Amino acid sequence: MDFRTLDATAANIIAYYPKALQVLDGEIPTPVTIEFFLTNFCSFRCPHCRCATAHGSCDEYMDIVLFKQILTSLSNWGVGTLEFGGGGEPLEHPDIIEILELVAKHDMRCGIITNGYAFVENKTLMQKVAAVADWVRISLDAVTEESFQRVHGRKDISYAKLRAALRTFTSLTAQMQDARRRTRLGIKLIIQEANCDTAHRAFAEAEYLHADYLQFKWLEQHPASIPLAERQGIVDELTRLAATTSMPVDMLQGYGENASSDTASLASASSSSAATALTAPATPAATTAPTAPAATTAPNAPNAPTAPTAPTAPTATTAPNAPNAPNAPTAPTAPTAPSAPNATTPVATTASASAFIAPAASSAQTALSSGAGGRCVMSVLHPLIDWDGGVYICAFFHHRKASHLLGSLKEAPLSEIWGGELHKEKVAAVDAKLCVPNCPLKRYNPILSFIEQEAYRFAYI
């Protein structure tokens, strides 16, 4: 593998390479980031939301007493970063202000995936978020009133109000004295029939909102998906606009069997370099197993290091990616984590990059595979805590709850659940063929290969 062309969206794992080496040796170290689904409801009714069938009533949210207990336990355990996503809409939790205050009290940091509408006419919430969040990624999905209401399934919401609120939020964060603690704002659009003709306007909107990065993703395997044969014009226009901005711009791979491993790669421009081209969507991949994602840039990912030099450690929060996004067509799965914030110039991923197979417990050997045999090994550094206290291997658990459930925090602290024999058995038993096609966690696999081969250099600058 040519390690000079690695996915910059996953390079943040290099900051935790000692833990990555433990994972490759079959161990289960203390996790780096804990993802929370604080609620199981959302006031939006997005037709394309893959979590819609799992949504419950407005009383399905994490009890604040339980959250306090969990946070104290995590703080004592040394976990410093959290991610709030869903599932449901995290900022609609009835105790969200207190939750954010508790995060600040424990000197922890967080990333948030949200539709942002809770910010409307709520400056107090904006201030509380800005005090603890390294990044906030808005699932915007539309930039006009008509498409905003259509994409989010409600006629009583106003894009103009959200737009004003986000402008206020970025103005507020710009006043923060510590530039390194300034909350980065990301904007994301799921490209589909309702917004494909106005997706190009997201560039101007992101600039107006003073956003730090912009992401696009194709809606896959859904009645509102854009056919592959009709995407080229959109790709060309987004490529042209990406070359005119210094803002990091990502084209993320959609979730679904029809999404090719090299669906599209939109490398962003930086203040010192022009954007590289976005490639046309390729023929759908034949396999239904998750494949390594296409070249994308993460809002926080550093340049992937070249083989002979030591890598730079990135900011520590999850990777937005994820990290991430709560809008996708496949109903039975949970949302992804967003990519991490504060991106530098991206580096393209090779489409043929192989994927790791998790080694057997206590084995120092790692195996490379692709297709149906490929699987991620990064879930042990980024588990999921659901609103009811259930701990799951990863955020993609809705269609396999029983096999992914590790235990309940109502019965034992995470430190007692984590790393036990049951945990090891369940991780080893994960069937990659049942994983979400194009799972974003698999983008770490080539970086893990790089770490395994090149870690001996890391102490030498």
Side-chain angles (χ1 to χ4, degrees):
M1 182 186 301
D2 184 358
F3 289 132
R4 290 168 297 182
T5 53
L6 291 173
D7 186 351
T9 72
N12 55 342
I13 190 60
I14 297 174
Y16 297 96
Y17 79 88
K19 290 193 175 189
L21 291 174
Q22 285 182 273
V23 172
L24 293 175
D25 284 341
E27 301 175 27
I28 299 182
T30 304
V32 173
T33 298
I34 305 292
E35 184 170 358
F36 282 83
F37 287 177
L38 292 175
T39 72
N40 194 39
F41 62 89
C42 178
S43 62
F44 280 14
R45 297 292 179 264
C46 308
H48 63 273
C49 178
R50 63 190 177 84
C51 296
T53 58
H55 285 164
S57 62
C58 60
D59 60 353
E60 293 186 355
Y61 57 86
M62 181 168 285
D63 179 76
I64 190 63
V65 174
L66 177 61
F67 182 80
K68 289 179 181 178
Q69 294 172 348
I70 295 173
L71 207 62
T72 299
S73 175
L74 294 180
S75 180
N76 293 338
W77 203 26
V79 175
T81 56
L82 313 174
E83 181 178 319
F84 297 136
E89 166 53 50
L91 296 187
E92 291 183 6
H93 191 291
D95 300 310
I96 189 60
I97 296 296
E98 186 175 359
I99 285 173
L100 296 169
E101 289 175 342
L102 287 168
V103 173
K105 179 181 177 181
H106 285 278
D107 197 25
M108 302 174 85
R109 302 291 292 175
C110 69
I112 302 174
I113 302 174
T114 173
N115 61 41
Y117 211 71
F119 281 157
V120 172
E121 299 176 358
N122 194 342
K123 192 171 183 179
T124 297
L125 177 59
M126 296 184 201
Q127 292 170 332
K128 296 297 182 181
V129 167
V132 297
D134 286 317
W135 52 267
V136 174
R137 207 225 58 209
I138 305 295
S139 301
L140 196 64
D141 295 329
V143 294
T144 67
E145 287 291 351
E146 188 277 333
S147 61
F148 184 71
Q149 294 176 359
R150 182 180 173 189
V151 167
H152 295 298
R154 284 179 51 182
K155 294 185 177 181
D156 60 338
I157 55 176
S158 166
Y159 178 65
K161 289 183 178 180
L162 176 59
R163 190 175 192 250
L166 295 179
R167 180 65 180 245
T168 299
F169 179 72
T170 51
S171 297
L172 187 155
T173 59
Q175 299 170 17
M176 299 176 68
Q177 293 183 350
D178 187 349
R180 291 184 180 274
R181 287 288 181 108
R182 180 181 69 82
T183 305
R184 269 59 174 183
L185 181 73
I187 301 297
K188 183 174 180 180
L189 274 77
I190 303 292
I191 303 178
Q192 53 193 286
E193 287 182 353
N195 62 17
C196 63
D197 58 339
T198 56
H200 64 282
R201 294 172 59 174
F203 284 87
E205 281 297 282
E207 295 283 357
Y208 172 79
L209 296 172
H210 297 153
D212 293 279
Y213 62 93
L214 177 61
Q215 296 179 331
F216 298 94
K217 179 183 286 187
W218 297 107
L219 177 63
E220 304 286 6
Q221 292 183 291
H222 190 277
S225 299
I226 306 299
L228 286 173
E230 299 177 14
R231 296 181 182 181
Q232 187 60 59
I234 300 172
V235 166
D236 291 343
E237 180 65 2
L238 297 183
T239 300
R240 183 187 68 79
L241 291 170
T244 67
T245 180
S246 61
M247 180 187 307
V249 181
D250 314 333
M251 177 60 83
L252 305 178
Q253 191 172 16
Y255 306 126
E257 297 173 3
N258 291 335
S260 171
S261 61
D262 57 348
T263 297
S265 59
L266 210 176
S268 69
S270 71
S271 57
S272 60
S273 64
T276 59
L278 176 67
T279 60
T283 304
T287 178
T288 60
T291 55
T296 59
T297 62
N300 174 9
N303 287 343
T306 56
T309 58
T312 302
T315 306
T317 51
T318 220
N321 316 4
N324 341 100
N327 304 314
T330 311
T333 59
T336 67
S339 302
N342 308 335
T344 56
T345 308
V347 179
T349 306
T350 53
S352 60
S354 298
F356 268 97
I357 291 181
S362 75
S363 172
Q365 302 298 318
T366 59
L368 291 173
S369 180
S370 60
R375 54 184 294 183
C376 78
V377 296
M378 293 310 302
S379 63
V380 295
L381 297 183
H382 187 122
L384 185 284
I385 299 178
D386 204 12
W387 66 274
D388 59 0
V391 181
Y392 292 88
I393 290 176
C394 72
F396 299 92
F397 68 90
H398 279 128
H399 64 298
R400 48 186 177 182
K401 279 191 170 185
S403 64
H404 268 46
L405 179 65
L406 300 177
S408 173
L409 296 181
K410 293 180 179 179
E411 300 173 359
L414 184 60
S415 57
E416 293 183 12
I417 296 173
W418 197 254
E421 290 306 313
L422 177 63
H423 190 175
K424 293 178 181 179
E425 290 173 6
K426 290 208 170 189
V427 169
V430 171
D431 185 350
K433 294 187 292 295
L434 298 179
C435 291
V436 176
N438 304 318
C439 170
L441 288 178
K442 285 193 65 180
R443 74 187 189 278
Y444 289 107
N445 292 348
I447 305 292
L448 291 174
S449 183
F450 168 75
I451 290 173
E452 183 179 41
Q453 181 169 318
E454 303 292 334
Y456 73 96
R457 301 174 180 264
F458 287 2
Y460 301 88
I461 303 302

